[in-house]
């Protein structure tokens, strides 16, 4: 008796999840730790995917500690890598959650460009430009999550 031919590749979904202090140091640490995990998953430092992920993690973490900060509460970074097939390496999902649900950022298609000379308001424009998909979703317990996805190409 012969084994059936394999029709699907093996699937190993990798997940990293950690809470960080809601301060600028926590945001920097989230970015660095996130990039380390991507590297261990086969997404090398300084690759296009790694650089895009670094910018997205940095912007979302900075927003969480600036606009979503609640004293005594941390923010959470969650990275999920789902492998793909022969056309794409997979999908990288970046999620940053905070506990301040009443302070929601604009979603995709709702972002207004800042006025000339403003030194704020460009973070989600960067996320919008780099991510293949992104959204703002409610979270239980109270709070929100900003989710961005990157299609990882060969």
């Amino acid at each position: 008796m012969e084994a059936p031919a394999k029709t699907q590749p093996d699937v190993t979904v990798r997940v990293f999840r950690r809470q960080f202090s809601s301060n600028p140091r926590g945001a920097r640490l989230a970015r660095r730790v996130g990039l380390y995990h991507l590297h261990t998953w086969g997404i090398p430092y300084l690759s296009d995917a790694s650089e895009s992920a670094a910018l997205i993690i940095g912007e979302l973490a900075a927003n969480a500690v600036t606009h979503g900060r609640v004293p005594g509460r941390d923010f959470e970074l969650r990275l999920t890598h789902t492998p793909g097939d022969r056309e794409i390496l997979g999908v990288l999902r970046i999620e940053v959650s905070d506990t301040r649900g009443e302070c929601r950022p604009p979603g995709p298609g709702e972002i207004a460009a800042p006025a000339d000379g403003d030194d704020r308001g460009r973070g989600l424009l960067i996320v919008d430009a780099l991510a293949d998909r992104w959204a703002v979703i409610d979270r239980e317990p109270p709070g929100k999550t900003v989710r961005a996805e990157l299609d990882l190409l060969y």
Side-chain angles (χ1 to χ4, degrees), residues 9-44:
D10 292 331
V11 175
T12 301
V13 176
R14 295 177 176 97
V15 178
F16 167 75
R17 180 178 171 181
R18 181 171 167 194
Q19 292 185 336
F20 295 91
S21 299
S22 286
N23 57 43
R25 186 176 184 192
R28 284 190 305 273
L29 183 60
R31 181 178 172 273
R32 288 183 177 196
V33 170
L35 289 180
Y36 169 78
H37 279 279
L38 296 182
H39 184 74
T40 64
W41 294 347
I43 302 169

Side-chain angles (χ1 to χ4, degrees), residues 40-108:
T40 64
W41 294 347
I43 302 169
Y45 293 118
L46 302 178
S47 66
D48 288 343
S50 177
E51 292 292 299
S52 294
L55 287 168
I56 291 170
I57 293 169
E59 291 300 334
L60 296 182
N63 284 352
V65 302
T66 304
H67 307 292
R69 183 175 188 277
V70 174
R73 301 279 178 102
D74 296 335
F75 76 93
E76 180 180 275
L77 171 66
R78 181 180 173 113
L79 303 173
T80 307
H81 176 242
T82 305
D85 54 25
R86 293 184 178 147
E87 294 179 19
I88 63 169
L89 283 172
V91 175
L92 174 64
R93 178 180 285 174
I94 302 165
E95 296 175 306
V96 175
S97 302
D98 62 57
T99 56
R100 194 160 177 208
E102 77 278 0
C103 186
R104 291 180 63 90

